[in-house]
Amino acid sequence: MRSSGASSLQEQVEDRPKVLLVDDDEVNLMLVSAALSKHGFDVTEAGSGDEALRILGGWIPDLVVLDARMPGLDGFETCEELRGMYGLENVPVLMLTGLDDEASIKRAYDAGATDFFVKSNQWSLLAGRLRHMLRAARTQQELIRSRAKLARAQDLARMGSFEWWHHPERGLPFGMELSEEALRVFGSAPDDRLSFRDLLRMMTREERHGLIRGMRQIVRQVFGIAMDVPLSRGVKRNRIIHVEGEPEFGEYGQCVGYTGIVQDVTERHQAEDSIRKLANKDPLTQLPNRRQFNWRAERALEQARRMGHKMALLLIDLDRFKNINDTLGHAAGDELLLEVSMRLRGCVRHSDQIFDGTVEAVGSRFHRALEAVGRLGGDEFVALLPEVEDERDAERVAQRILEALRQPVYVADQEFFATASVGIALYPQDGQTVADLLRNADVAMYAAKDRGRNGSVLYTPNLAVRDREKLELETALHKAIERNELVLYYQPKVDAQSGRLMGVEALMRWRRGDALVPPNEFIPMAEETGLIVPLSEWALREAARQAHEWRQAFGFNESIAVNMPSRMFLRQDLVDLIHEAVKPYGIPHRMLLLEITESSLMKDLQSILPTLHRLNEVGVQISVDDFGTGYSSLQYLTELPISELKIDRSFVNKLGREPKASEVIHLIISLAQALSLRVVAEGVENTTQMNLLRSLQCRMMQGYLISRPMPGADLPAWVAEHVAVPSATAAAEPLALSQAGESHPAASR
């Protein structure tokens, strides 16, 4: 064996692609070897196919170049042999030949060659071909590794993928492919083949007909798929398979099929079934309890907001119920509540068959099935009307309830007349959240009691009596900007491996008197009152000013992340606001990084997306905060102009205590790497978390272990004390922390 092309510097040799060059012609071997060495390859030479195989028995090169025509074992036979050797299955092989006939080309590919090259003295062309093969091979290896990681993750999650190609003329069962992981979900071996008809045979007749109806509706209206499918026949045990899929479209815009995932959620459903009654039903009346009612109301509110119609909540409180309890005892009171609950159910289209995902999975008007009566506690009931034309619809239902309760009730062999007071609140005029609507319906209900009971009242703003402390705080917040009471604190983001400062996050504080008001006490109020808009505008200007000051002080050239509410991204002038913020200080747009939470992003994605693209065009980067706590379509993530994902602190907090937390973080990091996004772990509070994050290839971190949020004036000193000075060895030095081991239960904000 002869080696050539060696460099005097070991570092340079290691960076050069390693090529095994095989040719029986010594002159040609010398010429090709010299040319490839000149073009940056580290060449190992072999004079025959047998010698090449001996070399490959203990060494795997990056590339193999074979002369096709050699005495003894020729290039074609050598290629076939090496493809059968361990570790060489995917090594790129270039067949170097003087033949350009079609038969030789076919024989090269049949032997396992990656490509062929007709002998010539065009060495730069040969080198270019080899580098292209090397890049393609590395891309393929990375894809294989990513697929293996995905397969392991899917196996842990009892999940697999499917492709279902739809053809209108062939019906639903046409063209379904299941991955090996998906076959395991259905209890089949990896080499089995399951068709759509096979899956239908695993279901009862009733379940089968229901699935087919639902699928036909989905295909007809091109909905996304999100459903749970029960399997009770042809399997070892009853299973429930969750199916999610997105439509695929052909070149003419027609739906040609669906791709998605299947997941075995049997155990989850069994656990849910065992606690559903306790968790969602009132034990006395079997009406939805507060939790279940709030869930229905939230879904109805989402639909009302999306479809632009009104919804109503009716709060119903029995009049003088305490007298019955005190006079006849609690047993008689329970009997009265049972009778009242049955009458209330008859006044609305009450449905018990509601579960998570139903509204999103079926038709756009299915939210009407959310209509129900629930018991909040004691003698307090609430009715949900998910779609009304106006307040008159709600008043008609209230009158129907009052009429039903005016009929005599027989309790403990005595006749009673149970009346009620009803308060009515409507979305959107009386509140934007379920909590707001319930509170205002409660105000209206007490107004009905004040007016003599046995009646209904519509909420109006003048019915509400504002809480004095809240009013005072809101008034003070209005004046906080003009009084210069708002300040930004900054929390560093660092590369925990090299110690380099990668940026900071700006966190708003309110200096009210001698105390700092944390954001969780005034940001929600700012959101509710609309003050979040001027607060956000101020934060952009202040962050730009601070970036300029740091740039002058110690050469700060990173970005300052500013948290933005979703309503700011809905504004048409957000890009202009950024221009106005950075222009006075002469800093580039990239020094302002805007953060939006995953839930806010996905909630208003279609409305926000144009603004994100405009921001990206002027150099403003976008970070998705609290990533992993919501649901992000992978399709959207590949299209979004974002630069950074922030792993939610809830996952970081579980590191070292819950093994699945590491798996989730690893998946997020792999996803970010695949999409060429930075990934930041927030809420790092101890060295255990930091070391585990390092092992998962997450380097950018922020949290109390790195530093607490600090005033802008304190950052230069912190940088001088804690941040490593860039040097030849800085990348190998771990971050030195003066607060190492410090843990704090609060979030880093």
Side-chain angles (χ1 to χ4, degrees):
M1 179 178 70
R2 295 170 303 220
S3 178
S4 65
S7 172
S8 60
L9 295 176
Q10 184 65 25
E11 297 83 357
Q12 295 179 7
V13 172
E14 292 175 352
D15 290 337
R16 295 159 64 93
K18 297 175 176 59
V19 177
L20 176 62
L21 177 62
V22 186
D23 197 326
D24 65 307
D25 187 329
E26 292 191 1
V27 174
N28 194 54
L29 187 66
M30 179 185 65
L31 291 174
V32 177
S33 177
L36 292 180
S37 298
K38 180 180 179 181
H39 282 82
F41 293 90
D42 184 12
V43 181
T44 298
E45 302 171 1
S48 67
D50 291 327
E51 183 182 1
L53 294 177
R54 285 196 300 272
I55 295 172
L56 293 173
W59 175 63
I60 299 178
D62 296 317
L63 296 155
V64 176
V65 179
L66 287 172
D67 183 19
R69 297 295 183 183
M70 294 186 295
L73 203 65
D74 65 14
F76 303 110
E77 295 167 337
T78 303
C79 185
E80 290 178 350
E81 290 288 336
L82 71 85
R83 283 303 187 211
M85 300 174 67
Y86 178 77
L88 297 172
E89 303 90 343
N90 298 309
V91 171
V93 176
L94 180 70
M95 195 69 73
L96 199 62
T97 177
L99 304 175
D100 59 355
D101 60 283
E102 186 176 342
S104 298
I105 295 171
K106 183 178 184 304
R107 187 180 177 192
Y109 286 131
D110 290 343
T114 308
D115 206 346
F116 76 96
F117 189 84
V118 178
K119 288 182 179 179
S120 70
N121 58 359
Q122 294 179 316
W123 308 120
S124 60
L125 184 60
L126 174 60
R129 180 73 61 87
L130 292 176
R131 292 193 181 278
H132 173 75
M133 290 171 57
L134 183 61
R135 285 195 300 270
R138 288 173 176 172
T139 301
Q140 183 181 13
Q141 286 296 322
E142 185 61 32
L143 179 60
I144 292 172
R145 284 193 291 269
S146 297
R147 285 177 174 173
K149 292 176 183 178
L150 178 60
R152 287 196 297 271
Q154 289 182 340
D155 192 43
L156 288 172
R158 299 181 182 179
M159 180 186 297
S161 59
F162 73 87
E163 294 182 357
W164 170 44
W165 303 111
H166 168 61
H167 194 289
E169 298 178 358
R170 302 192 186 184
L172 291 177
F174 174 68
M176 188 178 73
E177 294 289 339
L178 297 171
S179 68
E180 290 186 7
E181 294 78 13
L183 288 168
R184 283 197 290 269
V185 168
F186 288 105
S188 300
D191 55 350
D192 288 347
R193 293 190 63 83
L194 287 180
S195 67
F196 190 83
R197 294 185 185 277
D198 294 330
L199 299 181
L200 289 177
R201 293 189 186 102
M202 298 180 183
M203 306 172 66
T204 64
R205 182 184 299 273
E206 182 180 350
E207 293 166 347
R208 186 184 309 154
H209 290 169
L211 175 64
I212 292 175
R213 284 194 301 270
M215 294 300 292
R216 283 175 175 164
Q217 182 180 6
I218 288 170
V219 170
R220 185 167 56 252
Q221 301 187 19
V222 196
F223 290 147
I225 301 174
M227 62 173 63
D228 288 341
V229 179
L231 304 179
S232 53
R233 301 175 60 192
V235 291
K236 295 181 179 179
R237 59 184 175 86
N238 292 344
R239 295 187 179 187
I240 298 178
I241 307 300
H242 181 68
V243 183
E244 287 199 19
E246 291 292 331
E248 296 287 335
F249 298 96
E251 57 182 328
Y252 301 111
Q254 80 279 20
C255 177
V256 296
Y258 284 78
T259 59
I261 60 97
V262 292
Q263 184 177 21
D264 189 340
V265 293
T266 307
E267 293 182 2
R268 188 190 75 190
H269 270 262
Q270 289 173 344
E272 290 175 352
D273 289 342
S274 65
I275 65 173
R276 183 171 283 119
K277 287 187 178 180
L278 292 175
N280 296 325
K281 293 291 185 69
D282 173 61
L284 174 63
T285 64
Q286 295 302 301
L287 293 176
N289 61 10
R290 183 183 295 272
R291 177 184 179 278
Q292 169 68 0
F293 185 85
N294 282 341
W295 182 89
R296 290 178 183 243
E298 290 287 356
R299 303 290 82 74
L301 187 62
E302 290 173 6
Q303 290 293 100
R305 188 178 293 119
R306 185 181 301 119
M307 300 172 65
H309 60 247
K310 296 183 178 182
M311 63 165 282
L313 294 183
L314 282 63
L315 197 63
I316 307 153
D317 191 85
L318 298 182
D319 297 329
R320 300 184 179 88
F321 176 73
K322 186 175 182 298
N323 293 339
I324 296 177
N325 262 346
D326 294 343
T327 304
L328 301 178
H330 290 282
D334 290 347
E335 193 176 343
L336 174 62
L337 291 175
L338 280 169
E339 177 63 26
V340 168
S341 68
M342 287 188 288
R343 295 187 183 188
L344 292 178
R345 287 173 66 107
C347 295
V348 298
R349 295 187 295 268
H350 184 93
S351 173
D352 289 320
Q353 304 304 315
I354 298 295
F355 53 90
D356 290 3
T358 303
V359 178
E360 291 81 358
V362 193
S364 61
R365 295 291 177 182
F366 191 77
H367 63 280
R368 292 173 178 171
L370 292 165
E371 185 168 322
V373 173
R375 184 187 178 204
L376 299 183
D379 62 336
E380 194 170 53
F381 298 84
V382 60
L384 168 64
L385 307 181
E387 183 174 357
V388 294
E389 287 291 332
D390 51 35
E391 58 270 13
R392 288 175 294 182
D393 283 351
E395 288 180 314
R396 279 193 290 268
V397 175
Q399 289 303 312
R400 194 156 61 235
I401 289 172
L402 294 174
E403 289 294 333
L405 294 180
R406 288 189 183 117
Q407 301 300 318
V409 179
Y410 293 90
V411 175
D413 297 326
Q414 296 189 40
E415 184 181 64
F416 289 92
F417 289 89
T419 63
S421 299
V422 182
I424 306 170
L426 277 74
Y427 167 85
Q429 62 261 40
D430 298 335
Q432 298 295 313
T433 67
V434 173
D436 290 341
L437 293 171
L438 281 173
R439 183 180 63 249
N440 292 335
D442 190 61
V443 170
M445 183 269 293
Y446 277 106
K449 286 188 177 294
D450 292 339
R451 296 179 184 182
R453 297 184 172 87
N454 193 22
S456 64
V457 171
L458 278 167
Y459 172 82
T460 56
N462 58 5
L463 293 175
V465 179
R466 286 184 172 273
D467 182 271
R468 184 177 300 276
E469 181 179 347
K470 179 181 177 181
L471 179 60
E472 179 185 348
L473 190 65
E474 180 181 337
T475 303
L477 185 58
H478 274 276
K479 300 179 180 179
I481 298 178
E482 60 188 65
R483 292 176 177 174
N484 294 321
E485 294 177 349
L486 294 174
V487 294
L488 290 181
Y489 272 44
Y490 301 89
Q491 189 172 42
K493 296 187 293 187
V494 301
D495 184 329
Q497 185 66 28
S498 66
R500 177 189 168 195
L501 181 67
M502 305 298 291
V504 298
E505 181 178 4
L507 305 169
M508 192 177 295
R509 300 290 187 265
W510 179 11
R511 186 183 292 113
R512 192 178 183 211
D514 296 328
L516 281 178
V517 182
N520 62 331
E521 292 186 18
F522 68 89
I523 293 296
M525 176 182 292
E527 289 271 12
E528 180 183 341
T529 59
L531 285 173
I532 193 66
V533 172
L535 263 60
S536 299
E537 294 174 356
W538 171 86
L540 288 172
R541 295 192 298 269
E542 176 61 15
R545 184 201 64 79
Q546 187 64 76
H548 171 71
E549 184 175 310
W550 287 339
R551 203 178 194 189
Q552 299 295 319
F554 64 96
F556 178 81
N557 198 36
E558 305 299 333
S559 61
I560 298 180
V562 183
N563 292 277
M564 287 283 112
S566 59
R567 71 173 67 183
M568 289 296 293
F569 289 89
L570 296 173
R571 293 181 52 164
Q572 298 296 317
D573 62 344
L574 181 57
V575 174
D576 294 332
L577 290 176
I578 301 292
H579 285 315
E580 294 172 6
V582 302
K583 185 177 180 180
Y585 305 105
I587 64 171
H589 292 76
R590 64 169 179 79
M591 294 187 74
L592 290 182
L593 183 148
L594 305 187
E595 284 193 9
I596 182 172
T597 62
E598 181 188 23
S599 57
S600 297
L601 175 65
M602 300 310 297
K603 180 180 178 182
D604 296 307
L605 179 60
Q606 295 304 323
S607 301
I608 289 175
L609 194 56
T611 301
L612 296 184
H613 284 293
R614 289 196 296 271
L615 290 169
N616 186 60
E617 290 171 0
V618 300
V620 178
Q621 299 185 55
I622 306 298
S623 174
V624 180
D625 198 7
D626 299 340
F627 188 78
T629 59
Y631 172 78
S632 292
S633 166
L634 294 181
Q635 177 183 355
Y636 284 135
L637 282 180
T638 60
E639 299 172 356
L640 287 173
I642 58 177
S643 304
E644 183 179 277
L645 298 180
K646 298 190 73 175
I647 301 173
D648 185 72
R649 67 188 68 251
S650 61
F651 297 122
V652 175
N653 187 48
K654 295 175 184 177
L655 276 177
R657 297 185 291 108
E658 296 185 18
K660 289 186 178 180
S662 296
E663 294 292 339
V664 173
I665 291 177
H666 185 252
L667 287 174
I668 294 175
I669 294 171
S670 299
L671 174 63
Q673 291 174 344
L675 298 177
S676 300
L677 303 177
R678 297 189 304 272
V679 60
V680 182
E682 58 181 353
V684 181
E685 297 180 357
N686 55 62
T687 53
T688 299
Q689 295 170 349
M690 182 176 68
N691 292 332
L692 286 172
L693 287 166
R694 280 177 178 168
S695 70
L696 294 171
Q697 304 302 312
C698 178
R699 297 177 60 170
M700 285 184 65
M701 306 179 194
Q702 72 177 98
Y704 276 16
L705 180 65
I706 311 298
S707 172
R708 295 171 180 269
M710 68 186 78
D714 295 349
L715 186 68
W718 184 89
V719 170
E721 181 179 357
H722 295 281
V723 175
V725 177
S727 67
T729 60
E733 295 294 332
L735 179 64
L737 300 169
S738 63
Q739 298 174 342
E742 178 183 6
S743 179
H744 195 282
S748 60
R749 295 185 189 176

